Amino acid sequence: MEQYKKDFIEFMVDCKVLKFGDFVTKSGRKTPFFINTGFYRTGKQLRKLGEFYSKAIVETFGKDFNILFGPAYKGIPLSVTTAISLSEHYDIDINYCANRKEIKDHGDTGILLGSPMNDGDKVIIIEDVTTAGTSIQETMPIIKKQGNVEVLGLVVSVDRMEKGKGEKSALKEIQENHNIKTTAIVTMDEVVEHLYNKPYKGEVIINDEIKKAIDDYYKLYRSI
């Protein structure tokens, strides 16, 4: 596993973004682990988060794109901090764009904030986590309405590696249904590999009990 992936896993723990217990996902599944990017709250944390996202984007998509689209609401700060990081670390000056939940009818009107989209634009969508692929169904029509733009792919922080609407993972379904690339900074397998029964700052984050709960969850929901 690459060092930046290990660093990101520990970063999630430090920021209390990665949690283990009893949770319910947006898709209604009861899960023993949860990733809440709303816990990235400080300037220092957001700056670091943008660095992890930008590295994953450049590794997968290269530098030939010009818009980073963040779906409302959590995708908005993700798109901003990653756009800054791409400029600082990779000398890529790309535009950020996001959608509003409601269309604005005064001032800066329309459903978008940030950069407008034009024919020929190459777009990468940035999100926090995709569990069952429901968010992308709302996002793609918004982007496609803006013109003849090319959506290159989707990047998320963690691949939960579980079924979407069928037996394949949500990311694989999105890749096939929309003919785009998908990637994640880390997968849950990598998270477990790095944290299981290995003390981090004096604490075992994933002990035998939590590991069993994760294994039981994947007996039901692991994708093919």
Side-chain angles (χ1 to χ4, degrees):
M1 191 190 314
E2 293 177 80
Q3 185 61 46
Y4 89 96
K5 291 176 177 284
K6 296 177 182 178
D7 292 343
F8 179 65
I9 293 165
E10 293 172 4
F11 175 66
M12 286 194 292
V13 173
D14 289 340
C15 296
K16 297 180 170 50
V17 166
L18 176 63
K19 296 187 175 184
F20 298 94
D22 295 310
F23 307 96
V24 178
T25 66
K26 185 178 180 180
S27 58
R29 297 173 182 173
K30 293 181 180 180
T31 174
F33 57 91
F34 193 68
I35 300 102
N36 184 0
T37 55
F39 274 76
Y40 297 120
R41 293 172 174 170
T42 72
K44 186 176 180 179
Q45 289 171 345
L46 288 169
R47 184 187 185 96
K48 191 69 178 173
L49 179 63
E51 291 174 9
F52 288 119
Y53 265 107
S54 62
K55 185 168 181 61
I57 287 171
V58 171
E59 279 196 354
T60 301
F61 300 100
K63 299 182 179 182
D64 186 18
F65 64 99
N66 65 309
I67 292 182
L68 196 57
F69 184 89
Y73 289 103
K74 288 182 180 178
I76 298 173
L78 296 181
S79 64
V80 172
T81 188
T82 305
I84 293 169
S85 181
L86 286 165
S87 174
E88 288 184 340
H89 298 285
Y90 297 96
D91 196 29
I92 313 172
D93 192 23
I94 56 102
N95 295 336
Y96 98 91
C97 179
N99 66 295
R100 297 182 172 97
K101 287 289 188 179
E102 303 84 18
I103 297 176
K104 192 178 177 187
D105 59 4
H106 62 280
D108 183 16
T109 60
I111 197 168
L112 299 183
L113 55 89
S115 172
M117 293 190 199
N118 302 299
D119 290 352
D121 283 339
K122 295 182 179 181
V123 182
I124 292 174
I125 302 168
I126 183 169
E127 289 199 38
D128 54 351
V129 180
T130 296
T131 302
T134 50
S135 175
I136 199 77
Q137 304 304 326
E138 302 167 1
T139 302
M140 289 297 282
I142 293 170
I143 294 174
K144 291 298 185 181
K145 277 184 182 178
Q146 307 310 311
N148 185 23
V149 301
E150 181 183 359
V151 179
L152 300 180
L154 165 71
V155 58
V156 300
S157 60
V158 181
D159 180 357
R160 289 180 59 101
M161 302 181 65
E162 58 190 82
K163 298 175 185 177
K165 296 186 180 352
E167 295 299 311
K168 296 179 180 178
S169 74
L171 288 183
K172 283 184 181 176
E173 286 181 352
I174 290 167
Q175 190 166 309
E176 293 177 1
N177 292 342
H178 298 283
N179 193 29
I180 62 176
K181 285 184 180 179
T182 59
T183 193
I185 303 172
V186 294
T187 67
M188 269 309 295
D189 274 356
E190 289 170 331
V191 171
V192 172
E193 176 189 339
H194 187 55
L195 295 179
Y196 177 47
N197 276 346
K198 297 173 185 174
Y200 175 64
K201 294 186 176 178
E203 179 184 1
V204 174
I205 309 299
I206 300 180
N207 57 24
D208 289 337
E209 182 181 354
I210 294 172
K211 176 66 160 56
K212 183 180 184 304
I214 294 171
D215 289 343
D216 289 344
Y217 181 75
Y218 277 129
K219 286 177 184 176
L220 296 174
Y221 294 116
R222 181 179 280 276
S223 60
I224 59 173

